[in-house]
Amino acid sequence: MDKTEGDIAEAARLTARLATARLLVVDDEPGMRNFLVKTLAPHCREVVEADSAEAADALTARQLFDVVILDNRMPGRSGLEWLAEQRRRGSLSDTIIMTAFADLDTAIEAMRAGAVDFVLKPFRSNQLLNAVRRCVELAAMRRENALLRHELATGDPGRSRRARLIGASPQIEEVRQMLERVARVPSPVLLTGESGTGKEVAARHLHGLSERAAGPFVPVNCAAIPADMLEIELFGHTRGAFPGADAPREGLLVSAQGGTVFLDEIGELSASAQTALRRVIEDRAVRPVGSERERPLDIRLVFATSKNLPEEVAAGRFREDLWFRVNVLEINMPPLRRRGADTVDLARLFVTELSSQLGLPGIDIDAAARAAILRHDWPGNIRELRNFVERALIFGRFPVEQLNPPPSGPIEPLDDVERREILSALEATGGNRAEAARRLGVSRKTIDRKCAAWGL
């Protein structure tokens, strides 16, 4: 891409970001407000006007604005006085100060009050647009940096962040179909299943199918964040909210605006964090620690757990009202032992990925290794398979002796095995075919077809 094409692409990116911005214009002069709205409205998602600091108070109490364009000299409270008060209340909106009386003291006072830019009246429309674009771009860069720092601090930089489910088994195909069905609706999704079954990959797959695919995907492992830090990480904080909070900070939920937040292992949340999460789901808003005001959220929430949450509710460890709110759409991830040949497909994928990451030659999955991989139960699921492949690459061969030894007794016919396991599952579930199918990792139609063949 040459320089001209790069400039065009950069301009298009800035224009797209500006088109999503909500702006508030505060000026006591009707003519100036009219000029500002006409200049900005064609380029932004929304432009709202206020003729005084009091009117701006009412608007900011109801709605979050990305950028505030604020006149300094107004009747009553000045723009700088209003801005300083907003900062004390916890407002994080970027603010551009307008003034016709420019001097060094005013500029210094504006920066101290929290203004991010300063424009002198009279100004041209392109000067104002450029100032707003700078604000929107700086806000986007702050959020991207915060999300990158979060991922580096909590993830494995060398691990592939797969965004599509791998495999052709009926079990994983059923999951794909469910994700496609719910991708366009905003309702929360709960992913359940054993640890290591690929719940984060399924969440990324759902994000990629949704209308939010261009927005950020923010994974949060609730079990990895100390309970006393979780609200600060998720909700953010204002300046001075606690000792050491020298500057305001957006939380992960606000940084994910327009995207998807994946809250993994919600069964590990403390009681206070469960209460806070319930409020977020109900109000679609978040209140930063130390702030007097809530910030509206535009995010898709996807939850995951390897625990049996109904049992946790019965034991008093998980709030029942939160359980009802997260369990709107439940998708169960099948364990690897139920996915058949998908296991070999995943092993081949890991050979390719890990050999490149580790700088080691790849190895073939021969017939003996393939049989051992298919025979093993994989209690650690995909995570265990990946570690097994990594060891194989290091030693130059698949250590199949570490997996289940081959059966030494007579081989039982497959039909007999299927019949025994299905009938055992039906007995354990009191004849509930849907639940038996879920536990076996097959579809309800499979159970019905087998039972019909056996005359049941």
Side-chain angles (χ1 to χ4, degrees):
M1 180 180 291
D2 61 32
K3 183 176 180 180
T4 301
E5 292 174 334
D7 291 343
I8 293 173
E10 178 68 11
R13 183 171 61 86
L14 290 175
T15 300
R17 281 180 171 166
L18 184 60
T20 65
R22 290 185 170 92
L23 274 60
L24 172 63
V25 170
V26 186
D27 197 302
D28 62 308
E29 297 180 14
M32 177 56 72
R33 292 200 309 275
N34 184 57
F35 166 73
L36 294 172
V37 171
K38 284 188 174 181
T39 299
L40 297 169
H43 304 277
C44 303
R45 180 175 179 176
E46 183 181 14
V47 180
V48 179
E49 55 182 298
D51 60 4
S52 65
E54 289 70 25
D57 273 336
L59 289 168
T60 55
R62 296 195 306 266
Q63 184 177 350
L64 171 69
F65 295 97
D66 299 292
V67 180
V68 176
I69 302 169
L70 177 65
D71 186 30
N72 184 30
R73 296 208 173 184
M74 295 185 294
R77 280 179 294 169
S78 70
L80 291 180
E81 289 172 342
W82 181 84
L83 177 58
E85 183 179 344
Q86 291 294 304
R87 288 291 184 261
R88 285 194 296 271
R89 292 181 177 181
S91 173
L92 296 175
S93 298
D94 286 339
T95 302
I96 300 171
I97 292 290
M98 302 181 296
T99 183
F101 307 95
D103 57 66
L104 182 59
D105 290 340
T106 303
I108 293 174
E109 189 179 352
M111 296 302 110
R112 286 177 176 171
V116 298
D117 211 337
F118 194 84
V119 293
L120 300 179
K121 294 180 178 179
F123 49 80
R124 296 173 180 169
S125 58
N126 65 325
Q127 289 177 290
L128 180 65
L129 277 170
N130 287 336
V132 173
R133 284 195 182 99
R134 284 195 298 270
C135 284
V136 172
E137 180 69 3
L138 284 172
M141 290 176 63
R142 285 198 304 268
R143 288 175 177 172
E144 289 171 1
N145 288 338
L147 296 179
L148 285 172
R149 287 196 301 270
H150 166 71
E151 186 156 0
L152 287 172
T154 60
D156 179 358
R159 179 163 296 192
S160 172
R161 300 299 180 191
R162 196 169 298 106
R164 288 290 181 270
L165 291 169
I166 304 298
S169 65
Q171 292 81 7
I172 209 65
E173 185 58 35
E174 185 175 353
V175 171
R176 279 199 201 93
Q177 291 175 4
M178 282 293 296
L179 293 173
E180 290 174 4
R181 191 173 300 126
V182 304
R184 301 292 178 180
V185 298
S187 306
V189 174
L190 175 64
L191 300 171
T192 59
E194 299 174 11
S195 179
T197 49
K199 293 188 283 292
E200 182 175 336
V201 177
R204 290 180 183 272
H205 188 103
L206 175 64
H207 174 68
L209 294 172
S210 73
E211 296 175 350
R212 300 176 178 272
F217 177 88
V218 183
V220 180
N221 187 343
C222 299
I225 302 176
D228 58 343
M229 291 294 296
L230 189 65
E231 291 190 40
I232 293 173
E233 288 290 322
L234 292 181
F235 305 154
H237 61 78
T238 62
R239 180 189 305 165
F242 52 86
D246 299 325
R249 174 185 170 190
E250 285 187 341
L252 293 173
L253 297 184
V254 174
S255 296
Q257 291 281 35
T260 301
V261 176
F262 173 60
L263 295 174
D264 196 9
E265 296 299 350
I266 60 167
E268 303 293 340
L269 289 173
S270 65
S272 62
Q274 291 179 34
T275 301
L277 179 58
R278 178 183 61 81
R279 289 199 303 268
V280 169
I281 298 172
E282 283 182 346
D283 302 337
R284 308 301 296 178
V286 60
R287 177 176 293 179
V289 176
S291 176
E292 299 177 7
R293 293 179 176 174
E294 293 186 333
R295 301 193 68 179
L297 289 178
D298 177 23
I299 58 174
R300 173 77 177 271
L301 288 169
V302 181
F303 307 100
T305 181
S306 56
K307 289 188 172 183
N308 187 317
L309 289 186
E311 291 182 0
E312 295 295 300
V313 170
R317 292 186 293 266
F318 198 83
R319 293 181 62 111
E320 185 176 36
D321 53 357
L322 178 58
W323 160 244
F324 290 142
R325 285 163 177 79
V326 302
N327 190 35
V328 178
L329 299 167
E330 180 180 350
I331 299 176
N332 184 260
M333 296 299 296
L336 195 54
R337 61 182 174 276
R338 301 295 184 189
R339 291 179 56 180
D342 286 357
T343 311
V344 179
D345 292 339
L346 285 165
R348 290 195 183 99
L349 179 67
F350 290 146
V351 167
T352 301
E353 288 183 350
L354 291 171
S355 61
S356 175
Q357 291 175 15
L358 300 174
L360 295 172
I363 53 178
D364 293 329
I365 304 178
D366 58 22
R370 189 161 55 250
I373 289 171
L374 290 171
R375 187 174 62 247
H376 188 55
D377 284 342
W378 301 107
N381 292 294
I382 298 172
R383 193 174 294 116
E384 181 187 358
L385 175 63
R386 186 182 186 278
N387 292 341
F388 174 73
V389 171
E390 186 170 351
R391 287 195 299 272
L393 289 169
I394 292 171
F395 292 110
R397 68 177 187 86
F398 284 98
V400 294
E401 67 279 359
Q402 297 179 5
L403 304 181
N404 293 335
S408 56
I411 297 176
E412 191 175 1
L414 183 59
D415 287 342
D416 293 349
V417 175
E418 281 187 339
R419 182 184 177 93
R420 183 182 68 248
E421 294 299 324
I422 290 175
L423 292 179
S424 296
L426 288 171
E427 183 179 357
T429 59
N432 187 328
R433 294 188 178 185
E435 177 61 17
R438 189 188 71 80
R439 295 189 186 183
L440 290 170
V442 299
S443 68
R444 167 67 186 268
K445 291 181 180 179
T446 299
I447 301 292
D448 291 339
R449 187 174 65 253
K450 293 291 184 181
C451 288
W454 297 330
L456 299 178

